[in-house]
Amino acid sequence: MTAVVLATACALVYGTADFLGGLATRRSRVLAVVVLSQAAGLAVIVALLPFLPETPTPGALAWGAASGLCGTAGVVLFYRALATGVMSVVAPITATFSAALPVLFGLAVGERPEPVALGGVVLALLAVLMVSRGPSDGKTGRGYGPILASLAAGAGFGGFFVIIAQAPADGGMWPLVGARLISVTLIALLAVATGRALRPGPGTLPVIVAAGTLDMAANVLFVLAQQRGMLSLVAVLVSLYPASTLLLARHFLGERLNTVQVVGIGFTLAAVALIASG
């Protein structure tokens, strides 16, 4: 039950961080938001380290760095897919595949959730697909390129969950330090190589910092959750984060939800209940 609570809280915090990041990208360049928010998250975890009992180990930092490579690749490929495809196609493919990969990995290494919990996993994957689906304009993008990029982005995000879960438990939060150092460095180098400015738009820096802080808080919750529960259950609960992003956008921005998204939010709640009871 503790893992379910932590994973559900993680999804809520991830969704809030994405909402704030989305607000910031309306007035700042995407790469500026990504780099500055990632840097803010790194500052948060580094500030917390003196208060944590664990000490850094090569294994913890190495697993963290590897997960950071996957996460960074996921971010770059996701925005690449968005630039060449359609949101209503890209988002559900990426979100569903990022949820499915840890589930398949967990089952492959011997995790055996109860049948009720497995039913919740299936319902959760369907919910992710539904809540991530926005209005379509009838287009599918430029051929198969955006679809392949979406699948690769989902593999990157799912790989982050799988790899960071392999870090030794005695490493505490140090894997997150390795992951964030890699991601900040690589995305900053990408911004420099492409000549993109990293200056935030007027008034957006506090929002960017808040997004980065919450994103790191969500990462901490994920690490704590997967240390206490099955990856196949924790990761799929975490992947329900688009539901909270949608609800925040509905409440604060007045964005309308389509019927599929509303049903998907209902499926989200049912999936959490099934997994918690399994």
Side-chain angles (χ1 to χ4, degrees):
M1 179 61 74
T2 301
V4 171
V5 172
L6 289 169
T8 304
C10 177
L12 292 173
V13 178
Y14 265 139
T16 305
D18 277 5
F19 172 73
L20 293 176
L23 287 180
T25 57
R26 295 185 174 191
R27 299 179 62 184
S28 297
R29 293 181 180 273
V30 169
L31 277 181
V33 173
V34 173
V35 170
L36 294 175
S37 64
Q38 296 270 300
L42 176 61
V44 168
I45 194 64
V46 169
L48 288 176
L49 288 177
F51 304 99
L52 300 176
E54 297 84 2
T55 56
T57 63
L61 292 174
W63 282 112
S67 68
L69 287 173
C70 282
T72 302
V75 169
V76 173
L77 288 165
F78 181 63
Y79 284 117
R80 169 70 176 175
L82 289 178
T84 58
V86 178
M87 171 68 79
S88 60
V89 175
V90 170
I93 291 175
T94 302
T96 306
F97 201 60
S98 68
L101 187 62
V103 173
L104 295 174
F105 177 84
L107 295 175
V109 298
E111 293 185 355
R112 293 296 180 265
E114 295 294 326
V116 173
L118 278 177
V121 168
V122 174
L123 192 59
L125 292 174
L126 180 59
V128 171
L129 183 65
M130 295 173 75
V131 299
S132 301
R133 195 159 193 85
S136 176
D137 59 5
K139 300 178 182 179
T140 58
R142 302 172 188 171
Y144 290 104
I147 294 176
L148 294 176
S150 301
L151 289 170
F157 293 139
F160 171 84
F161 292 139
V162 169
I163 294 174
I164 204 164
Q166 309 312 305
D170 59 5
M173 298 300 140
W174 281 97
L176 294 178
V177 177
R180 193 49 56 94
L181 280 172
I182 287 293
S183 63
V184 169
T185 301
L186 290 179
I187 297 177
L189 289 174
L190 177 63
V192 171
T194 57
R196 305 290 179 86
L198 296 180
R199 180 178 297 177
T204 61
L205 185 58
V207 179
I208 294 173
V209 170
T213 300
L214 289 175
D215 181 69
M216 180 53 70
N219 287 335
V220 171
L221 288 169
F222 173 77
V223 170
L224 293 174
Q226 62 84 22
Q227 288 174 350
R228 291 162 173 78
M230 298 183 190
L231 176 64
S232 54
L233 299 183
V234 168
V236 77
L237 285 173
V238 170
S239 297
L240 293 172
Y241 68 88
S244 58
T245 304
L246 284 178
L247 291 174
L248 287 169
R250 174 71 181 88
H251 181 74
F252 289 102
L253 303 179
E255 294 185 2
R256 299 183 63 181
L257 307 181
N258 59 45
T259 303
V260 173
Q261 290 173 321
V262 172
V263 175
I265 290 173
F267 282 5
T268 296
L269 300 176
V272 173
L274 286 174
I275 292 174
S277 63

